Amino acid sequence: MAALKILLPYNFRSLDQKALAFANSTFGHLDEVEITLFHAYTPLPEIEADSTSVMGKLKGDLSYLSQKIMQQEAELKAVEEKLLQTGFLQNRLHTIFKPRKRDIAAEIIELVTNDNFNVVIINHKSGKASRFFTGSVFSKVVSALKDTTVCIVS
Amino acid sequence: MGNAEKIDINVFKAVARAIAHSDDLELMTGHLTQLLVGTLEIKGCSIFALEPESGELELLSSFGLSSAYLNKGPVFSNKSIGAIKKGKPVIIRDLEDMDLLQYPQEAREEGIGAIVSLPIKFYGKNIGALRLYHHEQWEISETDIDSLLVLAEIIGLAMTYTRLLNALKEVKDTVNDVHSIWFNAIGG
């Protein structure tokens, strides 16, 4: 088992690229490192069957919506590929692309706890207004985790 | 694209349920953007929160747009589709004809043909923006614009509601952290 098991939540924003660069420069040269890129996407909304016209419209365009989600998964794989090229070993690199069921902080906390990650690299959302409305992911994660190193990129 | 009405009561029902069934703003707005892209058959949709001091529109949720386009740089309400700051809807039916965009080149490269931008208000104050992006020219009907304005108001209510709910949860967590011994020590 790797000495450092790192979780890097990735949301395709510029700050995530910065977090990726940090992971690469800090851990890329180490042998006993395992890194997991994690993205929780918004699953397509469930619509009750009685809303026939909406269902009809959505069904018609469902392939477009699904295709967009698949594109994101491919983008995450491309990020993994980038990490491979910079020195991380293939068997030490993983991606998790899953539908989100709750807020992103709760998803991260659950994953770290269940899968025994000992390092989390997370970014500090720079936007004041969006943080005001959605809450701070990093402060929720930091206050909930124990025995975990949390690296914050801002 | 024609200007027949696309937003009917069933779309409102689906949107209202998406809002009512979630207390997580990012999940809720994520569903809203998907619903609007699916039902209006458009390229993408974004919901922004307005930072009142800097005037920056900060992305809350988006669907259908590439990460390259979303990472193009900060979006400012006074530079990007300017009239949004005045609280009016802005309809750019054909991107080729207009010069209102902060990032016109990036929009063209993304394959955006038309944009509809609507203010998200709460008690008459701008707190964000709802933007819809079409692949091609878009003759959106006046009725659909009216419906979208109402929808933007509902989003404003949902944003404020979830903010209050988050504050309430924080108060509850803080109260739960107070040990009875500490409470007694301060004369409770």
Side-chain angles (χ1 to χ4, degrees):
Chain A
M1 191 183 150
L4 286 180
K5 202 171 168 202
I6 303 168
L7 180 70
L8 200 159
Y10 196 85
N11 200 29
F12 306 100
R13 305 309 309 277
S14 43
L15 262 183
D16 297 307
Q17 287 166 22
K18 211 170 163 182
L20 204 66
F22 168 78
N24 192 26
S25 61
T26 312
F27 303 106
H29 60 286
L30 302 175
D31 290 333
E32 290 298 302
V33 172
E34 195 175 296
I35 188 162
T36 302
L37 297 170
F38 168 56
H39 178 79
Y41 66 90
T42 305
L44 298 179
E46 287 170 18
I47 296 168
E48 287 173 24
D50 65 327
S51 303
T52 45
S53 74
V54 180
M55 274 305 280
K57 282 176 190 171
L58 265 183
K59 266 182 186 164
D61 232 33
L62 206 58
S63 60
Y64 175 73
L65 299 181
S66 308
Q67 186 196 337
K68 284 286 163 191
I69 290 172
M70 280 160 62
Q71 266 176 18
Q72 270 203 328
E73 190 171 14
E75 272 188 65
L76 194 67
K77 284 281 172 200
V79 175
E80 184 187 14
E81 198 62 37
K82 211 190 262 183
L83 274 181
L84 261 179
Q85 287 164 8
T86 54
F88 281 97
L89 298 171
Q90 182 137 36
N91 60 350
R92 302 276 186 189
L93 258 178
H94 313 280
T95 54
I96 299 175
F97 185 80
K98 61 174 277 233
R100 63 186 285 185
K101 291 179 183 144
R102 53 184 84 83
D103 71 284
I104 193 68
E107 294 278 1
I108 293 169
I109 293 161
E110 186 186 74
L111 194 58
V112 170
T113 310
N114 292 349
D115 290 10
N116 301 313
F117 285 95
N118 47 22
V119 179
V120 182
I121 302 172
I122 196 166
N123 66 52
H124 178 211
K125 200 186 280 177
S126 55
K128 270 198 292 184
S130 53
R131 203 166 56 232
F132 172 78
F133 285 109
T134 59
S136 166
V137 174
F138 100 88
S139 62
K140 285 181 201 167
V141 169
V142 167
S143 57
L145 293 178
K146 285 177 185 164
D147 301 322
T148 310
T149 303
V150 182
C151 306
I152 297 161
V153 177
S154 71
Chain B
M1 184 181 159
N3 58 355
E5 277 86 42
K6 294 215 166 199
I7 303 176
D8 58 18
I9 187 67
N10 287 315
V11 175
F12 268 101
K13 274 160 76 176
V15 165
R17 278 175 193 150
I19 289 173
H21 288 186
S22 178
D23 59 357
D24 173 24
L25 187 62
E26 285 176 291
L27 198 59
M28 180 196 297
T29 50
H31 279 158
L32 285 175
T33 54
Q34 289 173 340
L35 278 168
L36 287 172
V37 168
T39 52
L40 294 172
E41 297 169 298
I42 56 176
K43 175 180 175 59
C45 176
S46 293
I47 295 174
F48 298 90
L50 175 67
E51 208 289 289
E53 282 176 20
S54 65
E56 186 175 347
L57 289 168
E58 296 171 8
L59 190 69
L60 275 183
S61 198
S62 184
F63 189 77
L65 300 169
S66 72
S67 49
Y69 184 70
L70 295 175
N71 288 322
K72 61 192 180 299
V75 180
F76 289 98
S77 60
N78 57 346
K79 291 181 184 167
S80 170
I81 315 185
I84 201 79
K85 206 173 182 185
K86 297 172 191 150
K88 306 273 182 209
V90 179
I91 300 124
I92 304 177
R93 290 189 164 85
D94 184 356
L95 221 62
E96 295 302 317
D97 293 342
M98 301 293 281
D99 196 22
L100 284 172
L101 296 179
Q102 191 183 350
Y103 299 99
Q105 185 60 29
E106 285 81 356
R108 282 187 198 100
E109 283 169 8
E110 180 70 6
I112 295 168
I115 301 177
V116 171
S117 182
L118 304 126
I120 295 176
K121 293 184 178 187
F122 183 70
Y123 275 110
K125 302 279 183 197
N126 278 356
I127 60 167
L130 168 68
R131 285 192 182 170
L132 306 144
Y133 308 83
H134 206 286
H135 310 88
E136 51 197 31
Q137 289 178 29
W138 190 11
E139 292 300 329
I140 185 169
S141 75
E142 289 300 321
T143 310
D144 275 352
I145 291 165
D146 279 346
S147 300
L148 286 168
L149 278 168
V150 174
L151 188 59
E153 283 187 34
I154 296 172
I155 296 170
L157 283 171
M159 283 168 69
T160 312
Y161 161 75
T162 49
R163 180 64 188 97
L164 292 174
L165 195 65
N166 286 343
L168 208 58
K169 279 179 185 167
E170 281 165 23
V171 170
K172 184 176 177 285
D173 290 344
T174 307
V175 170
N176 286 345
D177 282 345
V178 179
H179 196 282
S180 60
I181 289 176
W182 301 335
F183 194 66
N184 291 336
I186 56 171

